[in-house]
Amino acid sequence: MSKPRVIYWFRTDLRLHDSPALKVALDLEPECLYPIWTWDPHYVYNARVGPNRWQYLLDCQNDLSSSISKLNPRSKLFLMREGPTTLLPKLFNSWKITHLVYEKDTDAYARQRDIEIAKLAHEAGVEVVTRVGRTLWDSDRLVEKNGGKATMTQKQTIAAGDKIGNIPRPIPAPKFLPDPGELNLDFESQKPDIDADLNAPHRSSSDKSYAKIAGPNGDFAIPTMEELGLTPATTPHRGGETIALKTLAAIIKDEKYTATFEKPNTAPTAFEPQATTLLSPHLHFGSLSCREFYWRVQDVVDNYKGKASQPPTSLTGQLLFREMYFAAHAKLGFSFEQTYGNPECKFIPWHLPSKIDPKSGLKTREYIVDSAQADEWLNRWKYGRTGFPWIDAVMRQLRQEGWIHHLARHAVACFLTRGGCYIDWERGLEVFEEWLIDHEPACNVGNWQWLSCTAFFTQFFRCYSPIAFPQKWDREGKFVRRYVPELVHYPAKYIYEPWKAPIADQKKAGCLVKGDGSEFEDGQLKLYPKPMFDFNERKDLCMKGMKKAYSVGLRGNDPKVIDGSWSALFSDGDHPLGRVEQKTRVDVDEKVGRDRKRRGQGTLDNVITKKE
DNA sequence: TGGTTCGTTGAAGAG
DNA sequence: CCTCTTCAACGAACC
C-alpha cells in the first residue's frame, strides 16, 4: 500500500511546538509532507489589517519557515499566492495528495471557509484531518456542555470545561519532518475577484499579492512588505515562535510575577516594559500554543509557596476569557459580531450604527451617519485628537505600536461608547481590527460588547474618567508625555487636563491648547486640541441614555430592532445627541446611499485623508 | 477590572 | 493633659 501524501495547511498555528494537528499529520507517516500557506483573499482585502499586523504575520511565517528548514533543509513554509478554495483542489491533483491536515479554526468566517474546503477535498477523494489546538477546550464542546447556550460568564465557561475534562498537556515539537514532494504547478493560477480593498489606505505602492503564484522568484518565498505594496510597519513588537517561547520563558522565570499576576493591578500606563506579558499577538497567530502557556504558568502556580492569584484576574484567568469568547462565537456565528440579530446583545440606539444588508441580516462595511458631530468625534478618537491626553496617548500608541494595555482598551472603548461619544461599539471594533497586532475576532467583539455594556457586562454606571483613572496609575503623566510629545513640558498638575493651564503656563510649556487637532503649530508654539466636549456633561447624558435603553430592554434579535420600529420607544430627550430619525431598514439603506454620495465614498479614511 | 460624594474614624499637631 | 482642628483613609451609597 502506498504511503500518504500530506498537505499540512498552516493558518493561525504558526509554530512547531504543541501542535496536535501537525502531530497527527506526522503520525500518518507520510511519504511526503507539504507545509503550505495560501494567501486568503478574505484576509488580504476584506479584513482590516494595518502594516503592523502584516509585518507581525510575515515575521511569524519567516520564523516558522526557518524552523522547518532546520529540521529538514529540503523543506520550508511554501507560500502560495492564491485563495485556498481555488488553489487546494488543483494542488490535490498536481501533487497527488491523499490527506489535508489543519488545525481547527475558530472564527465565523474561517469555520465557513473550512467547511467549503472540506467539501472540495471530499470531492477530490482527499481525506481531511483536523485537530483542536487553538483553544484549551474545543469551543463546540464547551457550548454543548453549557447546555447548548453561548458562554456569557467565566463561571459558565469553567463549569463547562470541567465537564469536558482536564486540559491536555502540551506536546513537544517534532524532531524531524518528511521531505516535501515535487513542487510542480502544472495549472493556471486564479486571481481573486476584488470588489474593494479595505487595506488600500495602507498601501504605498501597487499591490502584487497575487501577481505570481510562487512569488516573484518562483521559489514560494514569504512575501515582503514591499511585495504586498504596504507602507512600513512602525511597531517595535516582532512576531515568531522563537521570540514567543523566549518571552514565555522570561515570564515563567519570575515566579512571583507569574503566580501573583492580577490583571486589574497591572498599570495601563506602563511602557518599556509594559505591565502585562504581551503574549497576545503570539496567541493570535499561533506562534505560541495556549496550552503551552497555560501549563507552564499552572506549574509555577502549583509550586508557588506564597498565595497565588486566581481566575479571573490571574494569568490563566486571561486565557479563560479567551475560551469564553471563542465559545460564544462558535455558538452565535456571524451574529456574534454585531448587535443586529444577536439574542445576547442589549439594544442601545448608538450613533453611527452599521448598515445592515437586508438579505443576509449581517452588517456591511458602511455605517449610517445619523450625526455629523458623532462622525467627527469618531475621527478625532481614532487619530488621537480628542483633546483628552490620556485617550489620545492610548490611541496614538495603538496606531504606532499595535498594542495597548487591556485597561487602556477599557478606557478608550468606554469613552467612545457609553462613557462619552455614545457611538456604536461596532465602529470602535473596526479601528481595533485595523490596528491591533493581536486582533482576535472573538476577543475583540467580546471585549467591545463588554465595555459598551452591550453584553457580558451591565454596570454602565461604572465609567472610566479620562482624568482620574490614569492619575491613579501615573500621577506624573509619563505615559502621556511619551505618546503625546507636544505636552512633554506641561506640569503634572495639568497633564491630564491641559485646557485648565493658564495661557502663561501653556506658552512656557511650548504648546497652546487650541483648535480641533487639524493644525499642529502656531508660530513657534505647538498646538494640542481643546477637549472635544465637557466630559462630565457627556458622561451624564450617556448614562441617562443607557438607563433608558436598559429600561426599554430590547435585544438585538427583537422584531422591533429587526424592522426599525424600536425608535418609537425612544423620545427626543432619551438620546444624547438628539433624536435619531425613525427609519425602517429600507429607508436607512437609502439614507446611506445619500450620505455616500455627499461625502465621496463616505468612509472614515477618506475624511481623514482630506485632513492630513 | 469606576468615580464622586459624603459620612465616620482616628492620628497628629497646635494651643 | 485636655480640647479643638485638620486631614488622610476608608467605606457606603449613589450615579
Side-chain angles (χ1 to χ4, degrees):
Chain A
M1 226 171 89
S2 61
K3 287 180 125 190
R5 299 174 60 86
V6 176
I7 286 179
Y8 187 84
W9 183 19
F10 279 101
R11 298 102 59 86
T12 46
D13 56 331
L14 295 169
R15 66 177 179 279
L16 294 180
H17 75 278
D18 190 39
S19 174
L22 183 59
K23 183 177 185 302
V24 78
L26 296 171
D27 288 347
L28 290 168
E29 297 184 7
E31 159 188 307
C32 57
L33 180 88
Y34 295 90
I36 70 157
W37 173 281
T38 79
W39 226 219
D40 188 336
H42 174 80
Y43 198 76
V44 177
Y45 301 117
N46 291 353
R48 294 171 174 81
V49 190
N52 289 331
R53 192 155 85 251
W54 279 115
Q55 176 186 272
Y56 207 94
L57 169 59
L58 300 184
D59 284 349
C60 290
Q61 293 173 337
N62 277 303
D63 186 69
L64 173 67
S65 191
S66 87
S67 298
I68 291 171
S69 297
K70 272 179 202 153
L71 291 182
N72 183 341
R74 280 181 294 275
S75 192
K76 64 176 183 177
L77 181 64
F78 296 96
L79 204 136
M80 275 165 283
R81 287 101 170 130
E82 186 171 329
T85 45
T86 56
L87 176 66
L88 286 168
K90 292 183 286 194
L91 293 182
F92 296 155
N93 182 44
S94 291
W95 293 353
K96 301 184 173 50
I97 297 300
T98 62
H99 293 74
L100 172 68
V101 184
Y102 53 84
E103 183 177 271
K104 182 174 173 178
D105 215 329
T106 50
D107 70 273
Y109 163 77
R111 285 161 62 102
Q112 185 188 56
R113 175 200 61 204
D114 290 349
I115 288 168
E116 194 183 342
I117 294 291
K119 193 170 148 260
L120 292 168
H122 181 75
E123 283 164 14
V126 168
E127 192 178 330
V128 174
V129 184
T130 69
R131 287 290 182 278
V132 171
R134 190 160 176 67
T135 49
L136 299 174
W137 295 286
D138 179 20
S139 302
D140 293 314
R141 293 199 67 200
L142 276 182
V143 172
E144 185 192 312
K145 298 292 183 190
N146 191 44
K149 295 196 292 277
T151 44
M152 298 306 287
T153 67
Q154 192 170 108
K155 213 175 161 184
Q156 289 172 0
T157 310
I158 292 170
D162 283 346
K163 285 184 201 162
I164 295 172
N166 288 338
I167 295 161
R169 284 266 169 187
I171 52 179
K175 297 237 168 14
F176 79 97
L177 289 172
D179 288 351
E182 287 291 306
L183 292 155
N184 51 313
L185 299 171
D186 49 1
F187 51 79
E188 291 292 307
S189 77
Q190 193 177 327
K191 294 188 185 5
D193 294 331
I194 308 165
D195 56 341
D197 178 5
L198 270 188
N199 296 311
H202 300 303
R203 297 191 205 276
S204 57
S205 61
S206 67
D207 162 35
K208 295 189 268 304
S209 303
Y210 291 93
K212 207 175 154 202
I213 187 162
N217 303 318
D219 58 358
F220 302 92
I222 289 146
T224 60
M225 294 289 279
E226 292 75 33
E227 185 188 336
L228 300 170
L230 295 163
T231 56
T234 53
T235 180
H237 309 305
R238 304 304 296 249
E241 182 182 18
T242 307
I243 295 174
L245 292 175
K246 263 189 203 154
T247 309
L248 177 62
I251 290 160
I252 296 307
K253 210 176 160 195
D254 188 341
E255 291 176 13
K256 191 178 175 203
Y257 176 87
T258 304
T260 64
F261 180 96
E262 286 191 278
K263 186 59 131 320
N265 295 338
T266 59
T269 51
F271 60 94
E272 286 177 1
Q274 74 290 337
T276 53
T277 68
L278 231 156
L279 288 173
S280 51
H282 293 295
L283 289 170
H284 169 68
F285 285 111
S287 50
L288 178 64
S289 148
C290 60
R291 306 193 309 192
E292 184 79 25
F293 182 29
Y294 179 88
W295 278 112
R296 296 276 291 278
V297 168
Q298 195 56 45
D299 286 344
V300 171
V301 168
D302 290 342
N303 291 322
Y304 189 65
K305 303 293 178 222
K307 194 174 184 297
S309 53
Q310 296 294 318
T313 59
S314 64
L315 270 184
T316 55
Q318 307 312 302
L319 284 177
L320 296 170
F321 277 119
R322 193 172 166 269
E323 295 294 308
M324 173 178 80
Y325 292 142
F326 277 136
H329 203 180
K331 164 66 187 174
L332 297 168
F334 285 104
S335 79
F336 179 61
E337 300 170 24
Q338 57 185 46
T339 297
Y340 189 91
N342 183 338
E344 302 292 346
C345 279
K346 292 190 163 61
F347 174 78
I348 296 149
W350 308 109
H351 292 300
L352 315 182
S354 299
K355 181 194 163 194
I356 302 297
D357 175 358
K359 279 202 199 93
S360 65
L362 298 179
K363 65 178 178 184
T364 65
R365 295 167 184 166
E366 306 285 336
Y367 62 87
I368 299 158
V369 182
D370 62 318
S371 156
Q373 174 72 96
D375 207 22
E376 188 201 326
W377 286 347
L378 171 62
N379 188 7
R380 290 182 63 171
W381 175 84
K382 178 174 181 182
Y383 288 92
R385 297 172 196 156
T386 65
F388 294 95
W390 159 243
I391 300 296
D392 293 343
V394 171
M395 294 306 292
R396 294 183 195 186
Q397 183 190 29
L398 170 60
R399 188 184 181 195
Q400 281 166 41
E401 304 187 0
W403 180 90
I404 53 178
H405 186 280
H406 186 67
L407 293 181
R409 301 182 197 204
H410 280 213
V412 297
C414 178
F415 184 90
L416 185 73
T417 58
R418 65 185 167 83
C421 307
Y422 219 69
I423 287 172
D424 200 308
W425 61 271
E426 292 167 31
R427 300 290 75 70
L429 170 127
E430 288 166 356
V431 173
F432 275 27
E433 178 190 349
E434 181 178 349
W435 284 346
L436 279 173
I437 54 174
D438 62 18
H439 173 254
E440 181 66 62
C443 298
N444 196 31
V445 167
N447 282 327
W448 274 96
Q449 291 179 356
W450 183 299
L451 263 301
S452 61
C453 292
T454 297
F456 297 103
F457 182 73
T458 56
Q459 287 165 291
F460 56 80
F461 42 81
R462 290 191 186 171
C463 179
Y464 290 86
S465 154
I467 293 125
F469 181 72
Q471 240 162 14
K472 197 168 73 184
W473 300 101
D474 181 7
R475 193 153 276 284
E476 288 302 305
K478 288 191 181 119
F479 178 80
V480 165
R481 291 170 211 279
R482 160 68 181 254
Y483 292 101
V484 186
E486 58 267 42
L487 296 176
V488 69
H489 297 306
Y490 265 63
K493 188 181 172 190
Y494 300 118
I495 194 71
Y496 294 111
E497 30 192 356
W499 61 90
K500 286 191 177 168
I503 298 294
D505 292 34
Q506 296 185 16
K507 284 183 176 162
K508 206 175 142 204
C511 177
L512 292 179
V513 177
K514 194 177 151 188
D516 62 2
S518 58
E519 292 172 274
F520 303 101
E521 279 169 6
D522 183 350
Q524 297 289 65
L525 292 169
K526 293 186 174 118
L527 290 182
Y528 178 75
K530 282 201 209 166
M532 62 189 196
F533 45 60
D534 178 317
F535 177 75
N536 287 326
E537 207 174 86
R538 287 295 309 170
K539 183 193 72 181
D540 290 345
L541 283 168
C542 285
M543 276 194 197
K544 241 179 93 190
M546 293 296 291
K547 208 170 165 181
K548 171 70 179 186
Y550 267 51
S551 76
V552 170
L554 297 173
R555 295 291 184 125
N557 65 340
D558 192 287
K560 289 189 169 67
V561 172
I562 301 301
D563 68 15
S565 63
W566 59 266
S567 65
L569 303 174
F570 292 82
S571 59
D572 286 9
D574 295 331
H575 209 280
L577 275 181
R579 184 145 174 79
V580 172
E581 293 167 55
Q582 284 189 42
K583 290 283 176 190
T584 65
R585 197 175 50 197
V586 176
D587 291 343
V588 156
D589 290 348
E590 285 165 6
K591 179 167 162 46
V592 169
R594 281 204 307 277
D595 285 340
R596 286 174 66 188
K597 226 175 218 172
R598 184 165 52 80
R599 304 172 52 223
Q601 286 192 344
T603 65
L604 187 58
D605 284 301
N606 282 332
V607 177
I608 283 138
T609 313
K610 260 184 269 160
K611 279 195 176 171
E612 284 178 342

